[in-house]
Amino acid sequence: MTGRTITRADLAEAVYEQVGLSRNESADLVEAVLEEISKNLVDGGNVKLSSFGSFSLREKGERIGRNPKTGVEVPILPRKVLVFRASHVLKDRINKGA
C-alpha cells in the first residue's frame, strides 16, 4: 500500500486480512472508528491515538488576506482548523524508512 493514497476500502481490506472478520464486518468496523473520531472532533474534543498521533481543533482569528491575482485585500473570517500532530513513535518509524 505504499506510494499511494489509502482509502476506506483499503483499511477495511487490511482489517479483513489481519483480523479475520468478514468483509462487511471489517467495513463496518472501519466506518465506526472513523465516525467516532469525527463525532468527537465535531463536538470540540481531541483525539489521541497512542503511537500514532493526535488530532485537535485550533481556532484561527480573523485576518486580512490578499487575492494573489488582483492584489485586493479581503478579510478572512475566523474559523476552526483541524491539526494533526504525529507521535514521536510515528516520526521515528518514518525517518527510519528514509
Side-chain angles (χ1 to χ4, degrees):
M1 285 193 223
T2 60
R4 65 182 189 88
T5 302
I6 294 179
T7 64
R8 289 174 188 231
D10 294 331
L11 292 174
E13 187 65 23
V15 170
Y16 166 73
E17 290 174 0
Q18 294 181 18
V19 178
L21 297 174
S22 72
R23 281 196 164 89
N24 285 338
E25 290 172 330
S26 298
D28 290 344
L29 177 64
V30 169
E31 287 300 322
V33 169
L34 294 176
E35 180 61 31
E36 192 64 30
I37 290 171
S38 298
K39 187 170 62 171
N40 194 48
L41 290 168
V42 167
D43 291 341
N46 295 328
V47 175
K48 183 174 184 178
L49 303 173
S50 182
S51 300
F52 184 72
S54 59
F55 297 91
S56 60
L57 292 176
R58 192 177 79 183
E59 301 275 341
K60 292 188 89 173
E62 185 173 354
R63 63 187 176 93
I64 300 296
R66 189 180 308 274
N67 182 326
K69 284 188 176 181
T70 64
V72 174
E73 289 184 350
V74 289
I76 299 174
L77 301 176
R79 64 197 186 281
K80 295 178 185 176
V81 294
L82 180 64
V83 178
F84 174 74
R85 185 168 172 98
S87 73
H88 291 291
V89 174
L90 180 58
K91 288 179 184 178
D92 291 344
R93 289 183 67 188
I94 290 170
N95 287 323
K96 282 183 183 175

